[in-house]
Short mmCIF file of all heavy atoms in Angstrom, two decimals:
data_model
loop_
_atom_site.label_atom_id
_atom_site.label_comp_id
_atom_site.label_asym_id
_atom_site.label_seq_id
_atom_site.Cartn_x
_atom_site.Cartn_y
_atom_site.Cartn_z
N LYS A 307 -309.43 -29.82 129.57
CA LYS A 307 -310.09 -29.78 128.27
C LYS A 307 -309.59 -30.94 127.41
O LYS A 307 -309.40 -32.03 127.91
CB LYS A 307 -309.81 -28.41 127.62
CG LYS A 307 -310.33 -27.25 128.47
CD LYS A 307 -309.92 -25.90 127.93
CE LYS A 307 -308.43 -25.66 128.08
NZ LYS A 307 -308.00 -24.30 127.69
N ALA A 308 -309.42 -30.69 126.15
CA ALA A 308 -309.06 -31.78 125.25
C ALA A 308 -307.66 -31.56 124.69
O ALA A 308 -307.15 -30.45 124.66
CB ALA A 308 -310.04 -31.86 124.11
N GLY A 309 -307.08 -32.65 124.24
CA GLY A 309 -305.76 -32.56 123.63
C GLY A 309 -305.58 -33.70 122.66
O GLY A 309 -306.51 -34.43 122.36
N VAL A 310 -304.37 -33.81 122.18
CA VAL A 310 -304.05 -34.85 121.22
C VAL A 310 -302.99 -35.74 121.86
O VAL A 310 -301.81 -35.40 121.91
CB VAL A 310 -303.52 -34.22 119.92
CG1 VAL A 310 -303.18 -35.31 118.93
CG2 VAL A 310 -304.57 -33.28 119.32
N ASN A 311 -303.44 -36.87 122.38
CA ASN A 311 -302.51 -37.77 123.07
C ASN A 311 -301.71 -38.56 122.05
O ASN A 311 -302.25 -39.03 121.05
CB ASN A 311 -303.27 -38.69 124.01
CG ASN A 311 -304.05 -37.90 125.04
OD1 ASN A 311 -303.55 -36.91 125.56
ND2 ASN A 311 -305.28 -38.30 125.32
N THR A 312 -300.45 -38.69 122.33
CA THR A 312 -299.52 -39.14 121.30
C THR A 312 -298.70 -40.34 121.76
O THR A 312 -298.31 -40.43 122.91
CB THR A 312 -298.55 -37.98 120.96
OG1 THR A 312 -299.33 -36.88 120.49
CG2 THR A 312 -297.55 -38.40 119.91
N VAL A 313 -298.46 -41.23 120.79
CA VAL A 313 -297.53 -42.34 120.99
C VAL A 313 -296.46 -42.21 119.91
O VAL A 313 -296.79 -42.06 118.73
CB VAL A 313 -298.23 -43.70 120.83
CG1 VAL A 313 -297.27 -44.84 121.18
CG2 VAL A 313 -299.49 -43.78 121.70
N VAL A 314 -295.21 -42.24 120.31
CA VAL A 314 -294.13 -42.30 119.34
C VAL A 314 -293.59 -43.73 119.35
O VAL A 314 -293.13 -44.22 120.38
CB VAL A 314 -293.02 -41.29 119.67
CG1 VAL A 314 -291.77 -41.57 118.84
CG2 VAL A 314 -293.53 -39.86 119.42
N VAL A 315 -293.71 -44.40 118.20
CA VAL A 315 -293.21 -45.77 118.09
C VAL A 315 -291.93 -45.72 117.25
O VAL A 315 -291.96 -45.36 116.08
CB VAL A 315 -294.25 -46.71 117.45
CG1 VAL A 315 -293.65 -48.10 117.27
CG2 VAL A 315 -295.51 -46.79 118.32
N ASP A 316 -290.82 -46.09 117.89
CA ASP A 316 -289.52 -46.06 117.21
C ASP A 316 -289.03 -47.48 116.96
O ASP A 316 -288.57 -47.81 115.87
CB ASP A 316 -288.51 -45.31 118.09
CG ASP A 316 -287.08 -45.47 117.62
OD1 ASP A 316 -286.76 -44.90 116.56
OD2 ASP A 316 -286.31 -46.19 118.29
N SER A 317 -289.15 -48.33 117.97
CA SER A 317 -288.66 -49.71 117.87
C SER A 317 -289.11 -50.41 119.15
O SER A 317 -289.51 -49.77 120.11
CB SER A 317 -287.13 -49.74 117.77
OG SER A 317 -286.56 -48.99 118.85
N THR A 318 -289.06 -51.73 119.13
CA THR A 318 -289.44 -52.46 120.34
C THR A 318 -288.80 -53.84 120.35
O THR A 318 -288.52 -54.40 119.28
CB THR A 318 -290.98 -52.60 120.45
OG1 THR A 318 -291.29 -53.36 121.63
CG2 THR A 318 -291.56 -53.34 119.25
#
Side-chain angles (χ1 to χ4, degrees):
Chain A
K307 300 174 291 186
V310 180
N311 301 319
T312 300
V313 185
V314 168
V315 177
D316 168 71
S317 54
T318 178

